[in-house]
Amino acid sequence: MMIHGLGFLSLSASLVLPWALTGLVQGQKITESLVKDIRQSSTVQEMPLPSRKLISAVRTATTYYVSGTGNDRNSGLTTSSAFRTIQRAADLTDPGDTVLIMNGVYTNPPNAGTVVSIQRSGNAKAWIRYKAYPGHSPKIKHNTWSGIGLSNGASYIEINGLEIIGNNANISLAYALTQKWNTSNPRTNGSCISIDGRNRPVHHINILNNKVHNCGAGGISVMEADYVKVDHNTVFNNSWYSVYGNSGISLLMNYNTDNNRGYKMFVTNNKVYNNRMYIPWLESGTISDGNGIIVDVSKLGKNGAYRGRTLIANNISYRNGGSGIHAHESEHVDIVNNTAYANGQTPSLKKGQIYAGYSSDIKIFNNIIYASPGQKANSNMNNTNVTYDYNLYSKGVVIAVMGPHDIIGDPQFVNPSNADFRLKATSPAINRGYYWKDLKTDCVGNPRPDGGRYDIGAYEDR
């Protein structure tokens, strides 16, 4: 079970009505008064002014630019007048705006809780987007609680193409062990991306194409949120030094913003590796997590059990300390067409590569589940209605539960020692999967199926 810190942080923001809108509304009242006073004159024509609704509808979205060589006293409206900090742009954004981030290293000011705190929202028709400028590779580097933090109800936000780097390289395991009781040290407990709905639920968040690594706590941490997509990210070397139980990608206590029973949470097409715990979880005194991907206690949401479905698909999760992928005290989760390889690197964590525990309505289909001989492939702890089928298990593993179409064999990866988990042409995973109608491509965008049936695993053989 994953427990997160940072509960003492309190962030707030307010949206300010543009001055132009206020002025126009006041102008309308003045005009109406003048017209009323001289209505008897036949030469006076009343000209209707735009309504508040119309003025809002025709607002032109703004693109802000941020550069490692910029200046926050600039306008931020062109590449040559870019801001220096992403936060300067974040404090100005309105629905529909885009923040384009150019090359540079963006760090937190001393004593700041995050490098970028996002608290202003877009809307369903006008998302706010934070993106790498085309061809650029900006880096957010921090030694505080988070590189990017979304909180206070921030919604309709996209984070795309950034690299977020934590503080692991600057501390040692020996130092982290001296801090194993310290819940207030951001140097050891910082996350890379924190989506935190504990104060006010956040929703409609897309985390796309980012490189997220070396954070002491979580890589991409999602708490009490709804409608979140975590897609095409590379997440590694996280969760090492925190006193909290963290993982590479985690969804904790999903929150219902509506009654939609379809897919609302997506963890898809990610590469997740070498996330593990070296410091015991404060609550239990044991090393508990360090998973690649976890859906955690969605049965215990703040406004009841989560009613939407979660799709975990096309991910490659390997050499993590805990499991590759699992659902804990959760329900309505589909774990489909993933590749899990040699997870369970922490000796005390032996529950399996892909599994569910204390969960219900979980479907585990079309996955390659590879462990060393004698290790557990999966577990079956206090589950109801958890179905495994059309999975491929490596030879010699311990299988707690096996579906009628599951198979055992060598998946024949191209070069697993070099993290190349594509399939050789002779792999038994080819054309042995189940037709999962909601999954039309593999982890690199190739169409599924390529041939008569789906392949098993994250890749569709070409």
Side-chain angles (χ1 to χ4, degrees), residues 55-75:
I55 294 167
S56 177
V58 299
R59 176 190 176 272
T60 301
T62 300
T63 298
Y64 295 105
Y65 298 87
V66 183
S67 168
T69 58
N71 190 310
D72 279 357
R73 292 190 294 272
N74 290 340
S75 69

Side-chain angles (χ1 to χ4, degrees), residues 341 368 370 392-396 407-414 416 423-424 426-430:
Y341 178 88
I368 295 178
Y370 187 102
L392 170 62
Y393 303 93
S394 56
K395 295 178 180 179
I407 58 176
I408 298 172
D410 180 359
Q412 298 184 37
F413 297 124
V414 169
L423 303 174
K424 294 179 180 178
T426 53
S427 170
I430 295 172

